[in-house]
Amino acid sequence: MLDELDRRLIAATQGGLPLVPRPYEAVAAELGVSADWVTTRLRAMLDQGLIRRIGAVPDHMRLGYTANGMTVWNVADDKVDELGAKVGALPSVSHCYRRPRALPDWPYNLFAMVHGQAREEVEREAARIRALLGEACCGADILYSTAILKKTGLRLARP
């Protein structure tokens, strides 16, 4: 259960941590609490599952990565977990996950995001993934991003 101070903490951080050398101290000063209290409460919210993670959310387009491709793969079901872990460990893959197929229109069950400064770079990395998947791969495609749709974290509903 969130108390009023927890709600104020979420409200103070829901747009992102301040871009200063000591962001937790800046949030603490805003709330009138210690930086230790801020980090302890955020840790507790992580432990309770109220927050899934705290991390940087880069804007790849602004960083010069303008060719961002979600590579999608149709991988044999008995191999997808094992191979998905290997694909997710590649330095070129920012996130990788398994989803159920939506047959007959969507045969893909493994998704791996690859960022590049040109489509050729993404396609080279996709070829590397395809080689890693080997005979377990029955099909693939690359879906290139055309816009950034979501870059937000936890939000409190307005009363």
Side-chain angles (χ1 to χ4, degrees):
M1 188 68 167
L2 298 175
D3 63 22
E4 181 55 31
L5 197 49
D6 287 337
R7 291 182 175 281
R8 289 181 51 215
L9 174 59
I10 292 169
T13 58
Q14 67 186 4
L17 291 170
L19 295 176
V20 298
R22 298 183 180 276
Y24 297 113
E25 289 182 10
V27 171
E30 179 182 337
L31 298 177
V33 298
S34 71
D36 284 344
W37 182 88
V38 169
T39 56
T40 298
R41 280 308 301 151
L42 289 173
R43 168 60 57 202
M45 289 180 190
L46 284 165
D47 292 344
Q48 295 167 0
L50 296 171
I51 300 171
R52 286 192 299 171
R53 69 180 188 95
I54 297 172
V57 181
D59 182 334
H60 293 92
M61 296 280 197
R62 289 180 66 186
L63 293 172
Y65 293 94
T66 55
N68 302 299
M70 177 59 79
T71 62
V72 293
W73 306 91
N74 179 0
V75 178
D77 288 332
D78 64 332
K79 299 282 187 187
V80 68
D81 290 336
E82 171 194 345
L83 292 170
K86 291 179 180 178
V87 171
L90 292 172
S92 61
V93 174
S94 66
H95 52 286
C96 179
Y97 49 91
R98 179 183 184 179
R99 283 198 170 161
R101 295 180 174 89
L103 297 173
D105 299 322
W106 188 257
Y108 307 112
N109 59 346
L110 184 66
F111 298 70
M113 189 70 190
V114 177
H115 303 279
Q117 295 177 325
R119 287 187 177 207
E120 293 79 16
E121 186 179 345
V122 172
E123 289 163 9
R124 272 194 310 274
E125 293 304 320
R128 186 173 299 162
I129 294 170
R130 186 176 201 55
L132 188 155
L133 296 173
E135 293 181 9
C137 181
C138 303
D141 204 346
I142 303 173
L143 311 171
Y144 287 98
S145 300
T146 57
I148 296 173
L149 302 177
K150 182 183 176 205
K151 291 283 183 181
T152 62
L154 175 65
R155 299 272 189 242
L156 289 175
R158 295 178 189 241

